[in-house]
Every structure is written in C-alpha cells, then in structure tokens.
Amino acid sequence: MKWVLSHATDGLHHWLLQQEENTRSLIINLQRLSLRLIGITKRLFFLQVQGLLNKKILLRSEYGVVIGEAPFASKPSPGQLTINGKKLFHRIEDQKLVLLNSEKAVVGTSDLTQNALNNRFEFYSLLFGFAWFLTADVSEKDSLLPATA
C-alpha cells in the first residue's frame, strides 16, 4: 500500500491509499483539522490536541465521540495508538509506516512521502486513516453486507 498526494490546495490535501484491489481516499483540511475518509463507507473525523505536559491527539467522530487517540509528538516517532478500542503500535522504517497489533505482529505497511513527515497533523491524519482503513472500515463492511450461507 502507498499514500500518494493526489492534489493540494491552500489548506486541503487529497491523499489516495493505493492498493492492488482498490483505492481509498483521505481528504485533510489543515485549517479545520478535519479528515474525510472515503473507503467502503464515508466518514468525517476531527483531530484535537489535548493536554499540557503529556499531549495527546484525539480522533473525534462528527458527533464528538472519541474514536482514537495517540501521544502527540513533536516529530513522527514510534508509539502506540488506540482506534475503536483496539490498541495498535506504529513505527517508521525507511519512509514506510508500519502498524503492529498488541502481539507486535505486522498488521499493515504503507509507503509515505516526505510531505507526510513534515507536518505533524498531516502525519497523524495519515496514521489514523491507515489504521481506520485496516481495522474499522473492514468491520463496518461486514456489518453492512448481508450474511450469505
């Protein structure tokens, strides 16, 4: 998988997560700190920084419910995040974002560009977006599609 910056305007960046079978989309509004994920479903989220000494970044749904959180570092560094109650770990190796589950098994990897590593909010948007597409978006697909026998 690979994050590709499709186009960017003043504060709006449109990213595509390219895979073999399909392409998913992430639109980041850096002025409003919002992200729109378009995959199997369409969702709108907001980023919010909380705390003074131990800052963390929260991922809130359009209804204000906290969906995910991660420590808010000054530059992209290894750490953990929680999304939909699932604890994941992340690290960056050679311009690749690697997500691991709680047993430290690789869940997914994605190529990043240098643009993604320069802006903290853009990095966290791509991190949460990637985690959402790998975990929550898949489970939503299962709940939307009827079971077949």
Side-chain angles (χ1 to χ4, degrees):
M1 289 185 237
K2 184 176 184 175
W3 281 112
V4 177
L5 182 61
S6 172
H7 60 275
T9 56
D10 291 335
L12 206 61
H13 294 187
H14 188 220
W15 290 85
L16 298 174
L17 181 62
Q18 297 177 338
Q19 300 177 248
E20 297 82 29
E21 61 271 4
N22 58 13
T23 299
R24 295 177 179 177
S25 175
L26 167 66
I27 301 168
I28 306 168
N29 185 333
L30 293 173
Q31 295 167 343
R32 302 265 185 216
L33 294 181
S34 68
L35 48 140
R36 182 171 300 275
L37 299 171
I38 304 168
I40 296 166
T41 59
K42 295 180 182 178
R43 296 292 304 265
L44 175 66
F45 296 102
F46 296 94
L47 296 175
Q48 177 186 7
V49 178
Q50 182 178 3
L52 292 174
L53 297 176
N54 293 327
K55 287 186 178 183
K56 60 183 174 180
I57 189 161
L58 303 176
L59 180 70
R60 293 188 176 272
S61 71
E62 61 266 32
Y63 306 109
V65 177
V66 175
I67 302 293
E69 68 178 51
F72 190 59
S74 59
K75 62 180 182 172
S77 59
Q80 71 180 29
L81 72 134
T82 306
I83 191 157
N84 271 357
K86 296 177 185 170
K87 188 175 188 178
L88 299 171
F89 296 92
H90 66 90
R91 64 176 182 245
I92 298 171
E93 300 173 346
D94 301 324
Q95 301 273 333
K96 289 183 184 245
L97 176 62
V98 180
L99 280 182
L100 307 129
N101 62 14
S102 56
E103 288 84 33
K104 304 288 183 171
V106 175
V107 176
T109 61
S110 174
D111 293 337
L112 293 175
T113 63
Q114 190 59 37
N115 293 347
L117 300 174
N118 289 341
N119 186 322
R120 290 191 293 180
F121 291 107
E122 196 148 19
F123 169 74
Y124 282 107
S125 296
L126 294 172
L127 174 65
F128 281 127
F130 188 50
W132 177 264
F133 287 139
L134 287 178
T135 59
D137 199 37
V138 174
S139 63
E140 281 192 14
K141 176 187 95 172
D142 294 338
S143 67
L144 291 175
L145 297 177
T148 58

